[in-house]
């Protein structure tokens, strides 16, 4: 669709009349994306709803109440029918397995703690689905994520959501500038999830009080190890639990059952001081434990950096920023030092505990809500 540069911008920042602006809405079946679709349809946009079937919702890996499970596809279709716009379900099972689930399993086998929701956004929703939206002649694609897209002096910027408790910037740091130009996030400015549910009630949506999805969509009840064993039979090989000096304290049923920073469930009771998992030695099938202070990390190597700040990443000087090393932790002061086109060293001004390879390290500009990008923590 061609754009008229002389026309005024509509509410989505596109220089076209609302009725001539086609928006593909990524609908998971939850309240957030349903509200986005209903809101835009009511405003008069040419809305097309698309839901991805990411796995066989009847298989053992799936669970009820998760993103893109069977009932959620039904709920998304019902919203489209109620609001009077077309809705399509696309089978992305093979893409999702290849791009997300397989890497999840292999990362755990390698002793890392992956974040598959980031890879899903990066490799499926904001890649293949976004291209599908363009094939449907859409002017933009909208999602129910809690994050803000703001226009800066050099183009669109990514900013944290108004509601810090709902902010999803950690899961969206790998959004590229090209993708950001096409994406819209209509909920990012809302003050709370209650405001979203109030809108759902206003539009008469039956999903208004639907619970939020929890955990990773393809991991039943948060039991990562059982999923990995199904995906990689024989992965859970027993080994030793040792202290930092190599002394054997006990045995384990597989490294995949442990994560950095874990304290409970180690099976080595009777010791005077609490011990935590400080390292996973996959090659030797060893779980290494130590005191809490051994978890403290100051220097974090980061790779696969996606830079959303101004200029080229490798041209940046060392700068003070804030970083998140876990989705549940607030940004902390740090110094960012680029070491290559997509690698960096992050120095935490105050050491963090439980920094784990496979997690994301997300960069935030000091004194503003802007996300500068981020990368993946690795072993160094």
């Amino acid at each position: 669709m061609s754009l008229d540069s002389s026309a005024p911008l509509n509410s989505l920042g596109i220089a076209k009349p609302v009725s001539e602006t086609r928006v593909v809405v990524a609908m998971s079946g939850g309240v957030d994306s349903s509200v986005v679709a209903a809101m835009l349809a009511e405003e008069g946009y040419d809305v097309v709803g698309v839901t991805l079937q990411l796995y066989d919702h009847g298989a053992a890996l799936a669970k009820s109440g998760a993103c893109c499970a069977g009932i959620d596809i039904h709920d998304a279709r019902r919203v489209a029918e109620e609001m009077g716009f077309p809705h399509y379900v696309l089978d992305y099972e093979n893409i999702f397995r290849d791009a997300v689930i397989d890497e999840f399993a292999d990362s755990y086998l390698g002793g890392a703690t992956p974040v598959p929701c980031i890879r899903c956004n990066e490799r499926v929703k904001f890649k293949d689905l976004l291209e599908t939206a363009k094939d449907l002649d859409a002017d933009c694609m909208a999602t129910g994520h809690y994050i803000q897209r703001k226009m800066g002096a050099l183009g669109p910027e990514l900013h944290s959501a108004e509601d810090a408790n709902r902010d999803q910037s950690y899961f969206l740091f790998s959004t590229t500038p090209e993708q950001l130009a096409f994406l819209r996030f209509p909920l990012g400015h809302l003050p709370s999830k209650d405001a979203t549910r109030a809108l759902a009630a206003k539009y008469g949506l039956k999903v208004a009080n639907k619970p939020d999805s929890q955990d990773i969509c393809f991991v039943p009840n948060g039991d990562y190890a059982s999923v990995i064993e199904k995906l990689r039979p024989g992965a859970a090989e027993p080994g030793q639990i040792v202290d930092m000096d190599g002394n054997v304290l006990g045995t384990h049923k597989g490294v995949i059952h442990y994560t950095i920073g874990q304290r409970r469930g180690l099976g080595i009771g009777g010791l005077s001081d609490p011990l935590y998992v400080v390292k996973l030695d996959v090659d030797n099938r060893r779980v290494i434990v130590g005191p809490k202070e051994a978890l403290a990390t100051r220097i974090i190597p980061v790779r696969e950096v996606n830079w959303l700040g101004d200029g080229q990443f490798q041209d940046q000087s060392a700068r003070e920023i804030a970083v998140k090393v876990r989705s549940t932790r607030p940004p902390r002061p740090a110094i960012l030092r680029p070491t290559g086109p997509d690698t960096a060293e992050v120095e935490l001004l105050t050491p963090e505990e439980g920094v784990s390879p496979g997690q994301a390290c997300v960069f935030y500009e000091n004194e503003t809500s802007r996300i500068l990008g981020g990368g993946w923590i690795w072993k160094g």
Side-chain angles (χ1 to χ4, degrees), residues 260-279:
I260 303 296
Q262 180 177 335
R263 176 186 173 187
R264 299 182 184 279
L266 299 182
I268 49 173
L271 300 175
S272 57
D273 298 317
L275 294 175
Y276 300 77
V277 176
V278 298
K279 185 178 179 182

Side-chain angles (χ1 to χ4, degrees), residues 7 29 54 77 104 182 243 284-285 298 332 348:
L54 299 180
R77 181 181 293 118
F104 170 83
F182 194 71
D243 64 18
N284 295 304
R285 301 200 304 275
R298 181 179 290 274
R332 302 289 175 83
L348 300 172

Side-chain angles (χ1 to χ4, degrees), residues 179-201:
Q179 292 167 344
L180 191 56
F182 194 71
L183 289 164
R184 300 294 188 274
F185 309 106
L187 302 184
H189 70 286
L190 295 181
S192 68
K193 182 61 177 270
D194 288 342
T196 305
R197 294 194 184 280
L199 285 172

Side-chain angles (χ1 to χ4, degrees), residues 244-263:
M244 299 179 68
D245 295 322
N247 299 309
V248 178
L249 304 179
T251 59
H252 64 76
K253 296 181 180 179
V255 173
I256 62 172
H257 293 275
Y258 301 86
T259 57
I260 303 296
Q262 180 177 335
R263 176 186 173 187

